[in-house]
Amino acid sequence: MSSKENLPQPVSAHTSLDISKDDSRLWVAPPNIFSKSHLFTDVDPDRSTFPLAAYCFMTGFIDAVSFSAVFVWAGFQTGNSCQLALAIARLFAGPPGQRDTTFHLADQQALTSVLTFVGGATIGRVGDKMGAKTRAWLCLGTFIQALLTMAAAIAVWKSGQGSVADDRGNPAWTNALTFVAIGFMSASLGLQGIMGKRVNTQFATTIVLTTVWCELMTDPKLFSLRMGVISRDHKIIAIFALFFGGFVGKALIDSVGSAGTLGIGTGIKVLIAFWWLFVPGKTTRK
């Protein structure tokens, strides 16, 4: 009996336990964080929850700034595109000679947002060369987002204009520097969107939540409340993070203004950039 009691446990018992623990960790502490092998390893999309949730937070955070000032979304280009369509339709409304052919300020701001968003997303294609899911690109790309957000903060600060519009007909931002700020904010979110999409998770682009809402409501395990379901839970995290980002952004705007809020957003982006270095890499599953 004693010999049986002293028999070692199967190696597979320890191995499976260790693997399950490692697979559930959302961060790693590598011995050489700036080594080439570490930087150019793909992150595990399933364990990229923290930085992607932070991306969603920043979407709400930055959109709160642009919408409060000019009623234009820096990230949600569906509304901006529709607004431009309405502007074109307005050219044909009414009898000839009495049509409104003015390029309204709100339409100019929407066009600025759309074009610069596309420009920022185009920068994201650099990641295809480096590896869209590598720590090196995710860190570098997020740092570029931080620089764009910082540029927006400086532009708003130098513009000398307010932070909150009274109504749609009286936007807080009207001069050239505020157009620059809208452009930099939109470019930052455009780059974020394509980076989030390339990681390919339940967070989708981290920008637009319409698809996330639809997929959440059609999830077959939506009401399986006693079990963890990644396809459901990560979508809920994305929605809550964006909502919370908008709430925090508005609170900061009322406290420190748009420039200060974007400055804080720059710091958050830098933290996200470095966080990508600690996201676990993909593991070979047997």
Side-chain angles (χ1 to χ4, degrees), residues 105 108-110 112 116 173-184:
L105 179 62
Q108 297 174 34
Q109 292 165 333
T112 299
T116 52
W173 295 352
T174 57
N175 64 23
L177 279 175
T178 55
F179 273 83
V180 173
I182 293 171
F184 278 126

Side-chain angles (χ1 to χ4, degrees), residues 62 116-117 120 144-146 148-149 183-193 207 269:
I62 292 177
T116 52
F117 183 93
I144 294 173
Q145 295 173 36
L148 293 170
T149 306
F184 278 126
M185 283 189 289
S186 299
S188 172
L189 290 180
L191 176 55
Q192 174 187 305
I207 299 290
K269 286 278 190 179

Side-chain angles (χ1 to χ4, degrees), residues 121-139:
T122 303
I123 297 174
R125 299 190 69 88
V126 174
D128 296 341
K129 304 294 184 181
M130 296 179 61
K133 297 181 183 180
T134 61
R135 295 187 182 97
W137 166 243
L138 291 169
C139 177

Side-chain angles (χ1 to χ4, degrees), residues 21 27 39 45 85-86 107 133 147 152 166 192 209 223 244 284:
K21 284 183 178 179
W27 62 276
L39 291 175
L86 295 176
D107 301 331
K133 297 181 183 180
L147 293 178
D166 297 328
Q192 174 187 305
L209 293 189
F223 297 107
F244 187 59
T284 303

Side-chain angles (χ1 to χ4, degrees), residues 137-275:
W137 166 243
L138 291 169
C139 177
L140 175 61
T142 308
F143 187 72
I144 294 173
Q145 295 173 36
L147 293 178
L148 293 170
T149 306
M150 180 179 68
I154 294 173
V156 173
W157 172 52
K158 287 293 187 179
S159 72
Q161 297 201 300
S163 301
V164 180
D166 297 328
D167 55 61
R168 289 183 179 272
N170 186 27
W173 295 352
T174 57
N175 64 23
L177 279 175
T178 55
F179 273 83
V180 173
I182 293 171
F184 278 126
M185 283 189 289
S186 299
S188 172
L189 290 180
L191 176 55
Q192 174 187 305
I194 194 171
M195 290 177 65
K197 181 62 177 177
R198 286 287 197 263
V199 178
N200 192 26
T201 66
Q202 301 299 328
F203 290 89
T205 64
T206 73
I207 299 290
V208 181
L209 293 189
T210 303
T211 302
V212 174
W213 273 110
C214 292
E215 291 179 351
L216 174 64
M217 299 312 297
T218 57
D219 194 305
K221 296 183 179 179
L222 176 61
F223 297 107
S224 300
L225 303 181
R226 295 185 178 181
M227 58 186 297
V229 181
I230 289 180
S231 62
R232 175 200 63 197
D233 298 344
H234 282 190
K235 290 184 180 73
I236 293 174
I237 292 172
I239 293 168
F240 175 79
L242 191 146
F243 181 90
F244 187 59
F247 177 85
V248 172
K250 176 57 177 172
L252 287 173
I253 291 168
D254 293 338
S255 178
V256 299
S258 295
T261 301
L262 290 171
I264 294 171
T266 300
I268 297 174
K269 286 278 190 179
V270 171
L271 292 177
I272 300 171
F274 281 105
W275 185 261

Side-chain angles (χ1 to χ4, degrees), residues 37-49:
S37 60
H38 179 75
L39 291 175
F40 285 91
T41 297
D42 285 0
V43 299
D44 186 344
D46 291 338
R47 293 189 282 173
S48 302
T49 306

